[in-house]
Amino acid sequence: MPSPSNSDELIFFVNGRKVIEKNADPEVNLLFYVRKNFRLTGTKYGCGGGGCGACTVMVSRYNPKTKKIHHYPVTACLVPICSLYGAAVTTVEGVGSIKTRIHPVQERLAKCHGTQCGFCSPGMVMSIYTLLRNHPEPTPEQIMEALGGNLCRCTGYRPIIESGKTFCVESSVCQLKGSGKCCMDQDEQALENRQEKICTKLYDEDEFQPLDPSQEPIFPPELIRMAEDPNKRRLTFQGERTTWITPVTLDDLLELKANFPKAPLVMGNTTVGPAIKFKDEFHPVFISPLGLPELHFVTTTDDGVTIGAGYSLAQLNDALQIIVSEQPKEKTKTFRALLKQLRTLAGAQIRNMATLGGHVASQPHFSDLNPVLAAGNATINLISKEGERQIPLNGPFLERAPEANLKSEEIVLSVFIPYSTQWHFVSGLRLAQRQENAFAIVNAGMSVKFEDNTNTVRELQMFFGSVGPTVLSASQTCRRLVGRQWDDEMLSDACQWVLDEIHIPPAAEGGMVAYRRTLIISLLFKFYLKVRQGLNKMVNGFSGSLKFPDIPEKFLSALEDFPIETPQGIQMFQCVDPHQSPQDPVGHPVMHQSAIKHATGEAIFCDDMPRLDQELFLAVVTSTRAHAKIISIDTSEALSLPGVADVITAEDVPGDNNHHGEIFYAQNEVICVGQIVCTVAADTYAHAKEAAKKVKITYEDIEPRIITIEQALEHNSFLFSEKKIEQGDVEHAFKYVDQIIEGEVHVEGQEHFYMETQTILAIPKAEDKEMVLHLGTQFPTHVQEYVAAALNVPRSRIACHMKRAGGAFGGKVTKPALLGAISAVAANKTGCPIRFILERGDDMLITAGRHPLLGKYKIGFMNNGVIKAVDVKYYINGGCTPDESEMVQEFIVLKSENAYDIPNFRCRGRVCKTNLPSNTAFRGFGFPQATVVVEAYINAVASQCNLLPEEVKEINLHKRTSKTAYKQTFNPEPLRKCWKECLEKSSFYARKQAAEEFNQKNYWKKRGLSIVPMKFTIGIPIAYYTQAAALVHIYLDGSVLLIHGGCELGQGLNTKMIQVASRELNIPLSYIHLSETSTITVPNAVFTAGSMGTDINGKAVQNACQILMARLQPIIRKNPKGKWEEWIAHAFEESISLSATGYFKGYQTNMDWEKEEGDAFPYFVYGASCSEVEIDCLTGAHKLLRTDIFMDAAFSINPALDIGQVEGAFIQGMGFYTIEELKYSPEGVLHSRGPDDYKIPTVTEIPEEFYVTFVHSQNPIAIYSSKGLGEAGMFLGSSVLFAIYDAVTAARRERGLSKTFAISSPATPELIRMTCVDQFTDMVPRDDPSTFTPWSIHVS
């Protein structure tokens, strides 16, 4: 082992600055390094596994062979700094900054409103920037591809893509934008006759500075000299526990591999890195042959192509594209199959890091490429000190048979891929939870060779991934099928035999066993069709008598995968009154006040704050049991480790450890997996985490362990009493209806997946037991309360500062209070500042999310579709402590009618107490779950009456001023307007007809449409929870400091508050500054939630400004033509106070649960959404073709922000109802703990056509007649769910199945496929549930 003194200097560049690191540690990644050492905090931590793109940076290297500079994107969290020798790194700060100049990419992302919380924005900028460095005039397809590895939870992606598309030569932004005309409105006259003019322009393209590629920073000449140095030598970097060796010649590499046979070869670190981080693997030595010319080449011979093992998957893609363009089609079947798989494999960053050799050698069981390479008869060229040899990349190799595998001292030199021949067909197939950047649920590589001029099988190969611990080969089946004709009889045998041969055990890891078995034969069927089509095309080219039967026309669409299209769309909103003062910003699409800072990475989030003296990091130790007694906690080994300051347990809490039922540190027993038992404080996070693993806890299980709602009902386990509302006489009405149906609907939960995980900085003060906390929260007052309770000090000693949060969505209402108390106790015990940042996996485990729900309904209706009586019961899975569950239950009960007028209506709600982490507030607050049940029973009624769902909706929609079931009056006119416009403008009936025609012509693909109406409410039924205060200071230079009690979470609250102050004080936006929210400046502020942030804080800001203006009135009257600055100077000379507190008493809402009546909400928000999808009945994949949203916005204070909220909520809702799936084990362990296992929508999921229209109405109760739109769009995502069910119904109808079937959410690919029952699902063997324990269960 080399000693540290032998350690070489690591030389690379960051943003043009030379870095010489004398103590390079192989365990340190680039993300940690640039943030800690250079304070370049624009690069963010989002997941730590390369799955979210928040830490994207650009790496540039010089290739001495080609004399070219190669720029590529990487995720900094996976890049070991030792791999960067000779590279130039560019972070978002190096692209542009407010201090120097901002880059066009940054400017356009901000001005196109492509940032909301801003946490993902630097990663987005880097992905687009890197693309532009390689392609200054990209195509829209390249923009989509570049953004495929970046997640955003706020915007819904449309404005981000649009900002990228402004760099395309053919700018594909709507041509009519800016003309004031709407291209959806064919009749121009009709538009002119409307009272209000419609605008479609959210930004002005003329403002954009042009992109000038010649202005980009140059590549450091020193790095070119280093790369061309003929006397390069081996480099060794010695870390605290590990050694990194970079050989410079092939012989040197082979020597090292012989000396350290167990050492991994690290190129992109996309396999080794995650294994170290998430599986606790440890390697004392790393060998990194990065840049070895012998591994980077492509050679073409007559029989195929050899590609060097060092080629990244992106370079492999480029090489294959060239080969495919140059060679005849029949020779490139394997290459084209590989290209198809490469397009959706991971994201652009991972494809640029991962290498062909690494991918082949690591033999991942989920590999998309290896099955295709095997099917294409590829061979692997190996080399060691002993010499070279070839091994086939075949079944035994992929199944890791020892005799077919690499020896420990061997490395992969290259991969040879032979050309295909005329009678040879090769295909790659896959299906994943989402189209791109997701591991396949099942994938396959298949190939068949025929005897010339026949359809007789000469050779057949089938390889399947994600079906076992390795890729599996169906070799016995293939052998049995040799000599058979390629016909339906052969297919039938093949399916049966493959299912026998590739056995997925019923309790297999990953679950979805019946679905995965079905996918195996569904993909085989797709291959069968493709080959039959290929054979037909070939014989049609011959003049001979040879003829094979054609594929039925209706089957052809099964051959096509869904394309990845660039989304198009228009956003329509009311134009500002032409008589409004030009200086008044209200109603204009003003850019988010921090947008430029978001895009340059200069917006400071909590973890971006500089390190403090003596600061310690906190790591958590969480319970591994769902319900158990704590027998002992042994911290001795943890305390003995280097850097560890202390271990904090329940014994160390000076005040309440259980505050209002929320437990800070587990004491005596644990009540869920993920409950915090203790925390470890240490000098670095790595030390804290290492020590946390060494804390030993002994448990003794306690019965019962309750995980699901069904189990809770069995054990009568509830958190609160039942809540109920009723109108009419339900029992009586049931006696006089034509039909009664009963059913139940399961709706699973949802993870917030805010991009910035929970982050807290707790700083103990030297005197008076004061404590200062900096954190991202929606409710600083709540944090203050919990911290004060835990420390047993008055609240006045606790100061909570909140600048901004990187997304919240309800997940930062109550949880930061619990985590704040935990970190404050640690800060109190150690006397040091504590930095507490939850890793993504811990965040998902500890903080939980949306409540899973079970709805049971009984509906009485007439044959004409009129619903007379509804009796519905809701049960939600609350988890183990109260949290927000009681209020969620109340909201569900109060909002459970949605938009329908049902004379006899009863709704009851219960919260189940289970041994899961407590579920909490989440955008929409119960409404998105409950209304799925409503829409499901509407669909069921339609089905029974042989009516269309939209007809039953129309019949039962509120028509005139009505009362809710809890007796609150409302006028549904805006609801009718949204519904009518949505039907008309979306051409609903014409498209429904077109979908039916499509469905008649296609057996394996089906289209569906759905339109859903919405009656949503904002605010909350407790009046004192809607009060707000603001503080406005005017300084002597005329500048204004504005402070309010609301929290900036990305929704643009601060921007709107500045707009309000600008209008009220009649001064430009630039005069007004808003710094942060804090319990010091505005005490007792309520939460920023329930869509009421702008409503209540806006009123408080308005009040403060009006008080100030009233004080200034005498001054202004004396000098009406004076300037603002003059008036302020005079006011001061007249001793007029220039500071005012504004206050809003709150909306006077109330709810009497005894009487079951009240004015529970201040007003209603109405909307309608229509979506069209296409499903693949064979795989369960779906594609969202078009969505139209009509939202009653009343008057929008800022249309850009409001449209951003509606679109973002819609996409989040769409994710909730389709691909986002939380998996729990029967023991209550959450399996989904990161972007690898939990799929939120990416750029490829958003509608291909996306139209959002704001419908104008009056809302005098709210500020400037606006409406709170933060949550309303969430439920509209269910139009996608019901469009999917419409398509599934069409498939079932054609297959002669019952038209009614259970609807549940999310409609995952598994659910879609297994509901489209056919001959393949019938073939799959089913296991007796009593004989095994499944890997995962549903908890609703």
Side-chain angles (χ1 to χ4, degrees), residues 508-643:
E509 192 179 328
M512 305 188 279
V513 172
Y515 175 45
R516 288 197 279 168
R517 290 170 180 167
T518 307
L519 275 179
I520 289 172
I521 51 176
S522 298
L523 295 179
L524 170 54
F525 175 61
K526 282 192 170 230
F527 177 63
Y528 166 76
L529 288 179
K530 271 186 183 157
V531 171
R532 263 187 58 177
Q533 186 189 39
L535 286 170
N536 290 344
K537 276 187 184 157
M538 281 169 63
V539 294
N540 289 345
F542 296 140
S543 51
S545 57
L546 193 62
K547 194 89 183 92
F548 301 128
D550 274 335
I551 307 178
E553 187 106 343
K554 287 182 78 162
F555 282 22
L556 283 174
S557 60
L559 300 171
E560 298 306 316
D561 281 343
F562 291 127
I564 295 176
E565 302 285 357
T566 314
Q568 308 286 349
I570 305 165
Q571 304 78 46
M572 285 168 276
F573 55 95
Q574 185 194 353
C575 300
V576 169
D577 184 335
H579 303 111
Q580 181 172 315
S581 151
Q583 187 175 287
D584 180 353
V586 171
H588 288 283
V590 176
M591 178 175 72
H592 191 293
Q593 158 243 8
S594 297
I596 301 279
K597 284 186 286 189
H598 290 158
T600 61
E602 289 165 285
I604 300 295
F605 291 85
C606 207
D607 188 33
D608 301 337
M609 295 172 69
R611 279 201 65 173
L612 298 161
D613 186 35
Q614 295 188 310
E615 180 182 289
L616 298 173
F617 289 81
L618 210 57
V620 285
V621 179
T622 54
S623 159
T624 54
R625 306 289 176 89
H627 195 194
K629 212 157 109 187
I630 298 174
I631 304 297
S632 66
I633 302 174
D634 177 2
T635 60
S636 53
E637 193 184 344
L639 285 166
S640 69
L641 289 179

Side-chain angles (χ1 to χ4, degrees), residues 885-1051:
S885 295
E886 185 168 28
M887 205 188 288
V888 171
Q889 165 197 4
E890 291 175 4
F891 271 48
I892 284 174
V893 172
L894 291 172
K895 301 184 184 195
S896 56
E897 311 161 283
N898 193 14
Y900 305 111
D901 186 5
I902 293 156
N904 305 286
F905 182 85
R906 177 167 61 215
C907 175
R908 290 168 281 187
R910 285 307 299 264
V911 180
C912 297
K913 183 179 184 180
T914 61
N915 297 113
L916 287 179
S918 276
N919 286 307
T920 189
F922 199 138
R923 198 178 205 164
F925 214 71
F927 184 81
Q929 300 98 297
T931 27
V932 169
V933 181
V934 180
E935 294 300 313
Y937 66 64
I938 294 277
N939 275 26
V941 168
S943 182
Q944 291 299 114
C945 299
N946 282 321
L947 294 167
L948 296 170
E950 49 278 9
E951 291 172 329
V952 175
K953 292 175 193 189
E954 178 83 54
I955 291 165
N956 292 286
L957 213 57
H958 280 284
K959 312 276 189 301
R960 58 197 68 82
T961 297
S962 327
K963 284 193 168 174
T964 64
Y966 50 89
K967 324 251 181 324
Q968 182 169 355
T969 307
F970 68 99
N971 176 5
E973 192 203 341
L975 167 67
R976 309 280 316 166
K977 197 170 166 187
C978 289
W979 174 258
K980 186 168 170 285
E981 289 205 14
C982 192
L983 280 169
E984 285 172 12
K985 294 284 171 57
S986 68
S987 318
F988 182 83
Y989 289 109
R991 284 168 53 214
K992 186 104 178 168
Q993 182 65 41
E996 275 172 26
E997 286 165 20
F998 176 89
N999 291 344
Q1000 278 162 11
K1001 292 179 188 157
N1002 294 282
Y1003 188 82
W1004 297 110
K1005 290 254 176 81
K1006 296 292 175 194
R1007 285 188 180 170
L1009 275 90
S1010 173
I1011 178 169
V1012 296
M1014 175 187 71
K1015 171 172 110 322
F1016 186 68
T1017 55
I1018 82 122
I1020 129 172
I1022 304 158
Y1024 62 78
Y1025 267 138
T1026 59
Q1027 62 182 304
L1031 187 57
V1032 178
H1033 300 317
I1034 304 173
Y1035 293 94
L1036 292 182
D1037 61 353
S1039 66
V1040 173
L1041 179 64
L1042 171 59
I1043 302 144
H1044 58 85
C1047 297
E1048 176 57 59
L1049 315 163
Q1051 81 283 44

Side-chain angles (χ1 to χ4, degrees), residues 630-866:
I630 298 174
I631 304 297
S632 66
I633 302 174
D634 177 2
T635 60
S636 53
E637 193 184 344
L639 285 166
S640 69
L641 289 179
V644 174
D646 215 334
V647 175
I648 299 94
T649 66
E651 309 296 319
D652 300 312
V653 181
D656 295 350
N657 186 42
N658 179 333
H659 189 61
H660 299 319
E662 304 302 323
I663 300 155
F664 302 148
Y665 287 93
Q667 201 163 10
N668 305 325
E669 69 164 353
V670 290
I671 49 176
C672 69
V673 174
Q675 185 177 5
I676 294 173
V677 180
C678 59
T679 56
V680 179
D683 60 346
T684 68
Y685 182 67
H687 285 153
K689 192 179 172 188
E690 205 47 49
K693 291 177 197 162
K694 302 292 187 223
V695 174
K696 295 183 180 68
I697 303 169
T698 320
Y699 299 103
E700 188 181 289
D701 283 335
I702 303 174
E703 289 298 325
R705 179 181 64 208
I706 300 169
I707 307 301
T708 68
I709 290 177
E710 263 97 349
Q711 290 166 353
L713 296 180
E714 242 170 75
H715 289 92
N716 215 9
S717 174
F718 299 107
L719 277 165
F720 310 99
S721 58
E722 180 180 273
K723 288 288 195 298
K724 172 174 92 74
I725 54 166
E726 186 166 355
Q727 73 172 3
D729 187 336
V730 176
E731 298 308 331
H732 182 260
F734 276 131
K735 292 175 184 161
Y736 298 97
V737 292
D738 293 339
Q739 297 187 57
I740 292 177
I741 51 168
E742 296 187 46
E744 60 178 52
V745 177
H746 291 264
V747 183
E748 291 301 313
Q750 183 180 22
E751 159 61 30
H752 298 95
F753 215 97
Y754 27 68
M755 293 302 293
E756 176 197 35
T757 59
Q758 301 273 359
T759 306
I760 292 151
L761 191 54
I763 307 160
K765 292 295 182 189
E767 46 189 324
D768 301 328
K769 294 189 174 175
E770 285 186 334
M771 177 88 63
V772 175
L773 290 100
H774 294 272
L775 70 174
T777 176
Q778 295 171 253
F779 199 180
T781 305
H782 198 55
V783 180
Q784 183 188 38
E785 176 195 342
Y786 275 53
V787 170
L791 298 182
N792 196 19
V793 299
R795 291 196 199 183
S796 56
R797 309 287 167 89
I798 309 298
C800 295
H801 297 271
M802 154 67 194
K803 180 109 177 148
R804 58 171 61 85
F809 318 115
K812 293 178 182 174
V813 177
T814 59
K815 299 299 182 183
L818 183 79
L819 299 165
I822 282 163
S823 41
V825 168
N828 180 64
K829 185 181 183 191
T830 59
C832 298
I834 292 284
R835 192 175 290 253
F836 185 26
I837 295 130
L838 282 185
E839 286 196 57
R840 177 64 63 188
D842 288 335
D843 192 303
M844 290 181 75
L845 175 68
I846 294 164
T847 65
R850 189 183 291 284
H851 291 75
L853 171 143
L854 165 63
K856 299 186 175 191
Y857 61 77
K858 180 181 177 184
I859 316 294
F861 55 98
M862 310 311 283
N863 290 333
N864 63 358
V866 174

